[in-house]
Amino acid sequence: MVKDYVKKPKVMAKDVNLYYGDFHALKGITLSMEENTVVALIGPSGCGKSTFLRCFNRMNDLIPSTRITGYVMVDGKDINDRSMNVDELRKNIGMVFQKPNPFPKSIFENVAYGLRVNGVKEAKFIEERVERSLKQSALWEEVKDKLKKSAFELSGGQQQRLCIARALAIEPSVLLMDEPASALDPISTAKIEELIYELKNQYTIIIVTHNMQQAGRVSDKTAFFYMGELIECDDTKTMFTNPKHTRTQNYITGRFG
Amino acid sequence: MKTSFQRFIEKFVEGLLFLSGTITSFAVILIVLFLFKEGWGLFNETPVEKGSVIALNKSNPVQELTAQQIKNIFDRKITNWKEVGGNKDSIIVFSVNDISNYYSDAELGDSLQFVPQRISELMGKKTGIIAFFPTEYISKNFQGRILAMKKVTLTGFIKDKEWFPTAQPAAQLGILPLILGTLWVSLVAILIALPFGLATAVYIAEIADARVGKILKPVIELLAGIPSVVYGFFGLIVIVPLVQKTFNLPVGETGLSGSLVLAIMALPTIITISEDAIRNTPRAMKEASLALGATHWQTIYKVIVPYSISGISAATILGIGRAMGETMAVLMVTGNAAIIPHSILVPMRTIPATIAAELGESAHGGLHYKALFALGCVLFVMTLVINLTVDLISARRKYSK
Ligand SMILES: Nc1ncnc2c1ncn2[C@@H]1O[C@H](COP(=O)(O)OP(=O)(O)OP(=O)(O)O)[C@@H](O)[C@H]1O
Ligand SMILES: [Mg+2]
């Protein structure tokens, strides 16, 4: 059958509208992505990239007076449905925020947090998972001797990599990254990009970025947002060499935004 | 460019701030110094009020008696000199009013002019006598020996178990029951208030609908403005009978009643300050926790409360401070018995209640007056110690997290 040839989308947004009170922040967004791909969200500041990203783990629920219409599907399930358990959903969808936000706990406890709140008790397992996650986020070498130290003693870039490790520790299947490298130096940025490239084998990744080169390097697909609308979404190569809309072209070539 | 006038104004304001800061700090230090100076005077006093003496027969080998021993002798609880380190001889207690038991009116003179002489005679005659009388009755060649009194000591003040500051002939200045009463009442109050206060703060800041919070918060802040007499009155007619009935006690005026009233009074402080601290937790911190699949409840106790712990300890300090120093309401409901409390369900007396109740009737500069000031110093030190401890604990917790 024809259906078998089309891969089922891992994550999908269908006609999503989001309002902050009266403000219409997302206007009829439809976008789907397959498993184990990386989608980059680009667009000028304030166009709704973060807002869109936060739809996938229902982080916008926390902001009073937001309203959402349309469907957001993960693994074929409507995540805004009443029957959805939000905590379970979020275990499956990791998130790295725009600004590093470690907990006021030790480095070790930051990474172990997700495991602990999910009821993992076995110390050995937690230790191994913490080490592996820190290695994945290219932070292990720098912190292995001071795991008991407060996370606040790390530099901004280290804190961000710690937050990535924290998200990886619970092995989600989708990873949402909101400008994860905006606070990092070029070397750490390169490490993160490499990491994203590796993670693609296991994760479906949505990444917001202001860095066109970065989008070009790490993503399979790129989506261009403008004033709450999805202008176009295509294979990254196509987007960068042959965009359909002049707005997209202008943005990518740096003529505005 | 700044004109010289602007520069002058800046300097002037700066000077003004400096001056007011200095004056205020100076005033605070002076007040503390005054408190300690007045209080310290107590330890230069003897427990027998000025103007009176205690005298013995010259042959009596007893050189010193404590205030406690004197009280027991005059209460006839000690009846033989052997018990206080003297010879085997039964004690004859004598005070001025007893003089008519020994001498006829004629012998005392029409205008009692012979009293000093008669006392002196008596002192010489009876070997077991102990007499308490005004200094003015000491005759020229006095036959007895005036007992040298030990000064009040700090350890005795803190360790002794009886508080009868106006007792005759020797004041009993033991504040242990008052210290224990204060500690019991305040600590139990904070044990009651902290969980409720924290829970309410978490509820308002995290759980309640924004509209509910907007109504609740001003109401709670209003509670802080009610005068403490009103709380005392409320305690007297509601809490005291309640405690009495619940625990089936002979009297409802107990430490627990005081603790309950204090807990209610400390709640607004604890709630408002903790709530502010909780609200100050960055949203990013909460989001990070929720994004990892933590439930709202897990986020509250694993991230929000630890993050705001220093604010919560500040609230606790202020709560305890208020509880320890609170006077009126406690005075009204605790029963004010100066006895060593062995449970929270007996009448107790706190330091501030004692000072408030007794300062008015103590003579300025007298023994009782100085004892009350010393009591104030003890309260000051107690609050200081508790504040420092809580500071230390919260500093250490902050470091370890
Ligand atoms: N909590 C909020 N309440 C009201 N309006 C909001 C809120 N958060 C975002 N907005 C508005 O929604 C729009 C989209 O914001 P969003 O944060 O998604 O932009 P963005 O594309 O991520 O921008 P940037 O690149 O600067 O991070 C903006 O106009 C912003 O003002
Ligand atoms: Mg953003």
Side-chain angles (χ1 to χ4, degrees):
Chain A
M1 278 184 28
V2 183
K3 237 184 172 178
D4 292 340
Y5 295 100
V6 185
K7 256 197 186 170
K8 244 195 187 167
K10 173 80 180 169
V11 178
M12 193 176 82
K14 194 157 179 283
D15 206 17
V16 170
N17 287 285
L18 190 136
Y19 304 84
Y20 288 117
D22 294 333
F23 180 68
H24 197 171
L26 294 177
K27 300 169 184 163
I29 311 287
T30 300
L31 177 80
S32 72
M33 54 187 300
E34 288 158 17
E35 201 161 1
N36 301 347
T37 57
V38 179
V39 172
L41 308 182
I42 60 170
S45 190
C47 66
K49 306 179 296 290
S50 298
T51 305
F52 184 59
L53 197 69
R54 291 159 61 91
C55 289
F56 292 101
N57 63 349
R58 287 185 51 182
M59 266 299 137
N60 291 318
D61 289 12
L62 303 183
I63 300 161
S65 78
T66 50
R67 196 158 55 81
I68 187 164
T69 66
Y71 297 96
V72 180
M73 319 280 276
V74 173
D75 290 326
K77 276 190 225 125
D78 178 5
I79 65 166
N80 289 311
D81 194 74
R82 270 173 181 282
S83 65
M84 192 73 208
N85 180 333
V86 192
D87 308 319
E88 290 301 320
L89 169 78
R90 288 174 183 154
K91 278 169 202 171
N92 189 29
I93 304 201
M95 183 162 202
V96 179
F97 294 80
Q98 202 160 345
K99 283 194 206 104
N101 55 353
F103 299 124
K105 296 176 188 290
S106 70
I107 293 171
F108 184 91
E109 282 307 318
N110 260 277
V111 184
Y113 185 87
L115 299 169
R116 294 207 197 279
V117 296
N118 288 310
V120 180
K121 293 251 154 59
E122 207 192 322
K124 186 121 182 57
F125 178 83
I126 293 178
E127 261 171 51
E128 282 168 8
R129 188 59 78 73
V130 167
E131 179 174 340
R132 201 187 73 196
S133 311
L134 285 169
K135 279 182 175 155
Q136 277 183 312
S137 67
L139 188 61
W140 177 251
E141 288 304 319
E142 289 153 68
V143 300
K144 65 180 176 197
D145 298 323
K146 48 176 185 180
L147 293 173
K148 292 250 149 58
K149 288 265 167 66
S150 164
F152 290 151
E153 288 175 25
L154 299 174
S155 75
Q158 289 174 324
Q159 288 188 8
Q160 187 65 317
R161 277 178 283 153
L162 181 69
C163 293
I164 294 175
R166 183 174 68 183
L168 296 178
I170 50 169
E171 298 195 317
S173 67
V174 178
L175 204 53
L176 310 172
M177 303 181 111
D178 196 345
E179 297 181 49
S182 62
L184 302 188
D185 65 283
I187 297 170
S188 323
T189 306
K191 279 183 188 162
I192 298 289
E193 287 179 12
E194 217 170 285
L195 167 68
I196 293 171
Y197 203 79
E198 276 167 31
L199 292 175
K200 209 165 76 165
N201 297 323
Q202 304 166 49
Y203 299 86
T204 306
I205 300 173
I206 311 181
I207 178 170
V208 174
T209 179
H210 279 288
N211 181 331
M212 292 307 114
Q213 284 81 16
Q214 188 172 66
R217 282 192 298 264
V218 300
S219 67
D220 302 305
K221 275 181 159 189
T222 298
F224 174 61
F225 281 74
Y226 184 73
M227 306 232 331
E229 281 176 76
L230 176 61
I231 303 296
E232 70 176 293
C233 176
D234 213 330
D235 286 348
T236 300
K237 243 191 207 143
T238 322
M239 280 284 275
F240 277 78
T241 51
N242 192 13
K244 290 193 195 69
H245 293 259
T246 43
R247 266 214 187 107
T248 319
Q249 190 173 11
N250 289 346
Y251 182 74
I252 288 170
T253 53
R255 245 168 269 171
F256 83 96
Chain B
M1 276 300 288
K2 274 183 188 169
T3 64
S4 59
F5 178 69
Q6 274 172 326
R7 226 171 273 146
F8 168 77
I9 291 283
E10 265 175 28
K11 278 269 173 261
F12 182 75
V13 171
E14 207 175 281
L16 220 61
L17 290 178
F18 175 77
L19 206 68
S20 64
T22 320
I23 291 174
T24 314
S25 324
F26 199 63
V28 169
I29 293 171
L30 274 186
I31 290 171
V32 175
L33 280 181
F34 170 73
L35 180 67
F36 276 85
K37 190 193 131 265
E38 292 288 307
W40 199 251
L42 176 68
F43 304 114
N44 282 324
E45 300 275 333
T46 64
V48 175
E49 274 281 10
K50 276 199 191 73
S52 300
V53 289
I54 292 178
L56 309 175
N57 182 275
K58 273 192 175 138
S59 65
N60 196 327
V62 172
Q63 292 301 322
E64 267 176 352
L65 288 171
T66 65
Q68 186 107 42
Q69 287 168 328
I70 292 171
K71 174 167 179 283
N72 285 338
I73 289 172
F74 278 80
D75 287 351
R76 314 296 201 272
K77 279 186 197 133
I78 295 178
T79 51
N80 200 298
W81 284 109
K82 218 173 62 178
E83 293 171 64
V84 291
N87 299 327
K88 196 168 170 193
D89 193 358
S90 58
I91 297 175
I92 302 162
V93 173
F94 172 85
S95 63
V96 196
N97 298 337
D98 302 334
I99 191 106
S100 49
N101 300 347
Y102 296 95
Y103 297 100
S104 67
D105 287 355
E107 283 169 311
L108 294 175
D110 298 334
S111 51
L112 300 171
Q113 69 271 42
F114 300 131
V115 170
Q117 203 182 322
R118 297 289 174 237
I119 291 179
S120 176
E121 266 175 48
L122 203 61
M123 296 300 304
K125 256 195 313 210
K126 312 249 174 197
T127 51
I129 200 165
I130 179 165
F132 172 67
F133 55 91
T135 0
E136 65 209 61
Y137 289 151
I138 301 176
S139 64
K140 267 197 203 110
N141 32 29
F142 185 60
Q143 302 273 318
R145 174 167 60 83
I146 293 173
L147 185 72
M149 287 302 301
K150 256 195 189 168
K151 286 178 180 169
V152 180
T153 63
L154 182 60
T155 38
F157 187 58
I158 289 170
K159 266 176 26 200
D160 284 354
K161 294 178 184 154
E162 284 187 78
W163 175 257
F164 294 111
T166 50
Q168 297 280 22
Q172 305 293 304
L173 300 172
I175 60 167
L176 189 64
L178 309 183
I179 295 181
L180 291 179
T182 310
L183 287 179
W184 270 97
V185 172
S186 324
L187 294 185
V188 172
I190 220 70
L191 283 184
I192 299 168
L194 195 62
F196 282 101
L198 196 54
T200 316
V202 167
Y203 173 74
I204 295 178
E206 279 296 316
I207 297 164
D209 196 272
R211 270 167 299 161
V212 177
K214 265 195 195 113
I215 299 169
L216 217 54
K217 201 156 179 218
V219 171
I220 287 167
E221 276 162 3
L222 205 68
L223 284 180
I226 298 176
S228 69
V229 200
V230 178
Y231 280 105
F233 192 57
F234 167 76
L236 206 55
I237 55 174
V238 179
I239 292 178
V240 167
L242 195 75
V243 166
Q244 186 179 6
K245 243 182 252 151
T246 316
F247 295 96
N248 205 4
L249 300 170
V251 283
E253 279 101 345
T254 60
L256 182 64
S257 319
S259 300
L260 284 170
V261 173
L262 279 183
I264 297 170
M265 293 178 66
L267 272 178
T269 322
I270 295 181
I271 293 172
T272 345
I273 298 177
S274 312
E275 197 227 327
D276 282 345
I278 289 168
R279 271 194 204 284
N280 278 334
T281 311
R283 206 180 75 193
M285 207 78 80
K286 281 198 264 178
E287 289 188 346
S289 170
L290 293 170
L292 288 165
T295 60
H296 191 185
W297 177 233
Q298 285 172 325
T299 305
I300 288 173
Y301 79 83
K302 286 192 164 225
V303 174
I304 296 177
V305 171
Y307 190 89
S308 36
I309 194 75
S310 52
I312 293 168
S313 4
T316 318
I317 295 176
L318 286 174
I320 294 187
R322 180 157 196 202
M324 276 208 170
E326 175 48 45
T327 311
M328 206 52 222
V330 177
L331 187 65
M332 291 166 79
V333 299
T334 52
N336 298 314
I339 43 173
I340 302 266
H342 292 290
S343 105
I344 190 71
L345 293 174
V346 296
M348 286 183 200
R349 176 190 270 232
T350 67
I351 294 177
T354 306
I355 297 176
E358 296 179 6
L359 195 58
E361 54 200 46
S362 71
H364 181 92
L367 181 67
H368 188 190
Y369 173 90
K370 285 177 179 162
L372 291 177
F373 265 94
L375 210 47
C377 297
V378 170
L379 182 64
F380 177 84
V381 171
M382 278 164 70
T383 347
L384 199 69
V385 166
I386 285 186
N387 284 7
L388 291 179
T389 325
V390 178
D391 262 356
L392 206 75
I393 292 169
S394 65
R396 186 166 296 160
R397 285 213 44 179
K398 224 182 198 168
Y399 181 75
S400 69
K401 77 192 175 187

